Amino acid sequence: QVQLVESGGGLVQAGGSLRLSCAASGTIFSGDVMGWYRQAPGKQRELVATITSSGNMNYADSVKGRFAISRDNAKDTVYLQMNSLKPEDTAVYYCHYQAIGRLWTRSWGQGTQVTVSS
């Protein structure tokens, strides 16, 4: 099992920036993918960005050019730099972990609230 601890959420004005962090602990596999999903009130959880242990990244179209995902493999930590935030980015952001090819390793963080005021 992998435990994920998120930090960095908060309240920011539109156009501002926030940086989320997620530290993983437990059974970490050498080939894995970490990332961020979000869920706004009344909506389904959606992918924001993911990054594999080898550095391959994937972004939702809605955040391309504004958000940047990165990771520190030595610290088993993934980051999400969010710039030019919009009110529609308001959601609970969840950290995600899965070893590649091992669906049973899928884990979620507790979530961190991001609120963007207009």
Side-chain angles (χ1 to χ4, degrees), residues 10 24 43 47 51 73 95 99 107 109:
K43 294 188 177 181
L47 179 145
I51 183 168
N73 288 335
C95 183
S107 300

Side-chain angles (χ1 to χ4, degrees), residues 77-99:
T77 299
V78 64
Y79 307 94
L80 185 69
Q81 178 66 43
M82 304 185 292
N83 299 324
S84 302
L85 282 160
K86 304 175 181 180
E88 50 263 44
D89 294 318
T90 295
V92 178
Y93 284 69
Y94 295 91
C95 183
H96 170 264
Y97 171 91
Q98 184 182 319

Side-chain angles (χ1 to χ4, degrees), residues 1-4 24-29 97 104-108:
Q1 272 286 7
V2 172
Q3 294 76 45
L4 302 170
S25 61
T27 305
I28 306 295
F29 289 82
Y97 171 91
W104 67 87
T105 63
R106 197 171 201 184
S107 300
W108 295 94

Side-chain angles (χ1 to χ4, degrees), residues 5-116:
V5 178
E6 302 137 333
S7 61
L11 173 64
V12 65
Q13 288 188 333
S17 298
L18 282 174
R19 189 190 194 211
L20 306 182
S21 300
C22 173
S25 61
T27 305
I28 306 295
F29 289 82
S30 58
D32 60 34
V33 56
M34 295 185 72
W36 296 91
Y37 288 69
R38 67 187 181 186
Q39 187 166 17
K43 294 188 177 181
Q44 290 189 330
R45 191 173 297 189
E46 63 177 6
L47 179 145
V48 177
T50 60
I51 183 168
T52 67
S53 49
S54 59
N56 293 316
M57 294 174 279
N58 181 45
Y59 292 94
D61 287 343
S62 59
V63 307
K64 284 180 180 176
R66 299 188 299 122
F67 291 10
I69 191 169
S70 61
R71 65 186 287 169
D72 183 337
N73 288 335
K75 297 181 179 179
D76 294 321
T77 299
V78 64
Y79 307 94
L80 185 69
Q81 178 66 43
M82 304 185 292
N83 299 324
S84 302
L85 282 160
K86 304 175 181 180
E88 50 263 44
D89 294 318
T90 295
V92 178
Y93 284 69
Y94 295 91
C95 183
H96 170 264
Y97 171 91
Q98 184 182 319
I100 294 173
R102 296 176 171 87
L103 188 60
W104 67 87
T105 63
R106 197 171 201 184
S107 300
W108 295 94
Q110 78 283 2
T112 185
Q113 177 70 46
V114 171
T115 302
V116 185

